[in-house]
Amino acid sequence: MHTLYAYSGNDVAEMCRSYANVVRREFYDGDLTIDPSDHLDISVQKAIAHPMTLLQMSGRCGVSFRRSWQHIRANKADVRVIWFVRSGSLKIVRSRATCTVEAGQCVFLNSSVPFYARTMVGPDGTFDAVQGIV
């Protein structure tokens, strides 16, 4: 595995800006928000890139991402993300449904349909997930 992104500090604006650049490069356009925290900590590692991308995301702060029709029209990336949540939880909001994916569960996400995703740390203060991107 190699590290795509790592941040440890307390500057929300800096983390949001730098992490948003990685998300745009590796995934697609959207609006990224970082939950305020005394200590921000997140890392994203890539295991493989072909034939599908496999990433591990872990951190000690909540991250929100919104992809609207405006983002989809500007960047027509059509990928599917399979989230395997290992600790914490992931909230997914779509036009007709909202679900919360708990540790030990998985969810499929379609990038060509608007969505809102929010990672939430668990009782141990961490969020950890593996993403398969096809």
Side-chain angles (χ1 to χ4, degrees):
M1 278 212 222
H2 76 276
T3 301
L4 286 177
Y5 181 77
Y7 182 88
S8 183
N10 60 7
D11 188 339
V12 173
E14 169 59 24
M15 181 182 166
C16 194
R17 183 192 59 72
S18 60
Y19 188 44
N21 288 335
V22 171
V23 171
R24 277 187 210 97
R25 184 182 72 234
E26 294 294 323
F27 298 101
Y28 31 65
D29 291 339
D31 297 324
L32 185 75
T33 307
I34 308 295
D35 291 351
S37 175
D38 291 339
H39 184 74
L40 304 168
D41 182 26
I42 191 169
S43 70
V44 179
Q45 297 184 346
K46 184 185 273 188
I48 59 173
H50 297 287
M52 67 179 264
T53 302
L54 190 60
L55 301 174
Q56 178 182 359
M57 177 184 175
S58 59
R60 297 189 172 276
C61 57
V63 177
S64 300
F65 187 81
R66 181 178 311 279
R67 185 158 164 83
S68 67
W69 281 118
Q70 180 181 356
H71 297 116
I72 293 165
R73 283 189 291 274
N75 176 306
K76 294 182 175 32
D78 185 19
V79 299
R80 304 300 185 268
V81 181
I82 307 165
W83 285 81
F84 298 94
V85 178
R86 299 179 347 161
S87 70
S89 59
L90 174 67
K91 180 179 182 179
I92 303 286
V93 178
R94 298 175 220 177
S95 65
R96 295 186 179 174
T98 298
C99 69
T100 300
V101 184
E102 302 293 340
Q105 298 178 330
C106 71
V107 68
F108 290 83
L109 188 64
N110 180 351
S111 73
S112 61
V113 177
F115 67 88
Y116 169 81
R118 182 170 189 271
T119 67
M120 296 173 283
V121 299
D124 67 348
T126 65
F127 174 82
D128 185 57
V130 173
Q131 300 169 317
I133 304 164
V134 276

